[in-house]
Amino acid sequence: MERRGAQVKLAPVTKWQSNLLHLLTDPECQDDMRAKWVLPFAFSIYPKIDLRRFKRAYKRLFQRHDTLCIRFQVLDGVWRAVIGPPPDDPEIRIIDLGAVDDETFDRHIRKIANAPMPVVDAQMTEMIVVRAGKRNETLVVRVHHAIADGHGMVVLIEDFIKSLVGVPVFGDAVSHQDYLDRFENPPRHKAEHIESFWTALHEELPTAPR
């Protein structure tokens, strides 16, 4: 649930986001590429997860990192990052596998962690609690690569853990504007290198998979 009356910001997408969005929405691409762009983490929690505490920490992530609030939409024919207000009550999904053996449990966790995520007008992060009989509960955190990279995921997980244990959170947030500043408006000494990278990436695009 989003806050009523809260301001929505419109921002351009980065070259990386534009590349992914065009790839993932290309009708010629019949291979489901979405699963290849999800960054998942899974944690075994003992003895069990305190849902109220975890939800408070999850809510703080949305409040601090505006990139988690992005939804990608096509407006006037152009992809835009629509940055909405943080949700008042972010959802934590519950999946109960019942009593399963190790092999079945591992297979389900991998399937849950790597499941495709929608990219158009959808939340790009997800938190799931998996229960399986008498096992420790498992927390699965999923963020789409369109809004975070490896460094961003480390920051998000670190902030989440600090919020859980009540440790002050310092350092920069994972910000969409920061990505724009670093990669779309880089310092002059880095601009040529970044531009040549994206030019080379688009020069010889592979044939769309079928």
Side-chain angles (χ1 to χ4, degrees):
M1 181 183 297
E2 296 183 349
R3 297 175 182 174
R4 296 180 180 178
Q7 186 175 6
V8 174
K9 301 178 183 177
L10 298 181
V13 298
T14 66
K15 290 185 177 69
W16 165 248
Q17 291 168 341
S18 177
N19 183 67
L20 276 185
L21 289 164
H22 282 95
L23 175 66
L24 299 176
T25 58
D26 187 336
E28 295 297 320
C29 292
Q30 298 177 19
D31 178 29
D32 191 345
M33 296 288 290
R34 293 173 299 170
K36 298 177 175 65
W37 301 110
V38 177
L39 302 173
F41 282 77
F43 305 88
S44 180
I45 307 296
Y46 175 83
K48 65 178 182 178
I49 290 172
D50 183 335
L51 280 176
R52 292 181 62 185
R53 177 179 292 182
F54 274 61
K55 184 167 287 192
R56 285 197 300 267
Y58 192 30
K59 180 177 178 179
R60 292 190 190 104
L61 283 185
F62 281 98
Q63 293 172 336
R64 175 168 160 75
H65 305 281
D66 69 5
T67 190
L68 297 182
C69 300
I70 288 177
R71 289 176 180 261
F72 294 110
Q73 298 179 3
V74 177
L75 302 176
D76 297 325
V78 178
W79 282 108
R80 301 298 298 270
V82 181
I83 306 176
D88 284 325
D89 186 23
E91 179 186 15
I92 297 181
R93 288 175 53 201
I94 307 293
I95 297 178
D96 194 334
L97 301 178
V100 294
D101 58 39
D102 291 347
E103 182 179 351
T104 302
F105 175 75
D106 289 343
R107 184 173 68 252
H108 278 291
I109 292 296
R110 291 179 184 276
K111 183 177 179 180
I112 292 167
N114 294 294
M117 293 182 74
V119 295
V120 180
D121 196 21
Q123 183 174 298
M124 309 294 285
T125 183
E126 187 174 32
M127 192 169 289
I128 306 165
V129 173
V130 182
R131 295 168 177 163
K134 296 182 179 180
R135 296 175 183 272
N136 298 342
E137 292 183 337
T138 301
L139 179 71
V140 179
V141 181
R142 294 160 26 90
V143 178
H144 201 286
H145 202 0
I147 63 169
D149 55 13
H151 172 74
M153 283 297 292
V154 171
V155 173
L156 292 171
I157 294 299
E158 180 180 328
D159 282 11
F160 179 72
I161 293 173
K162 286 181 176 179
S163 293
L164 280 176
V165 299
V167 174
V169 175
F170 300 105
D172 296 331
V174 181
S175 162
H176 183 66
Q177 186 60 50
D178 180 55
Y179 276 81
L180 289 173
D181 292 340
R182 281 196 291 159
F183 299 111
E184 307 303 302
N185 301 300
R188 183 174 300 176
H189 67 283
K190 293 184 178 180
E192 184 177 347
H193 171 73
I194 292 175
E195 187 61 32
S196 64
F197 170 82
W198 286 107
T199 300
L201 184 67
H202 289 87
E203 278 180 347
E204 298 182 5
L205 291 177
T207 304
R210 295 183 180 278

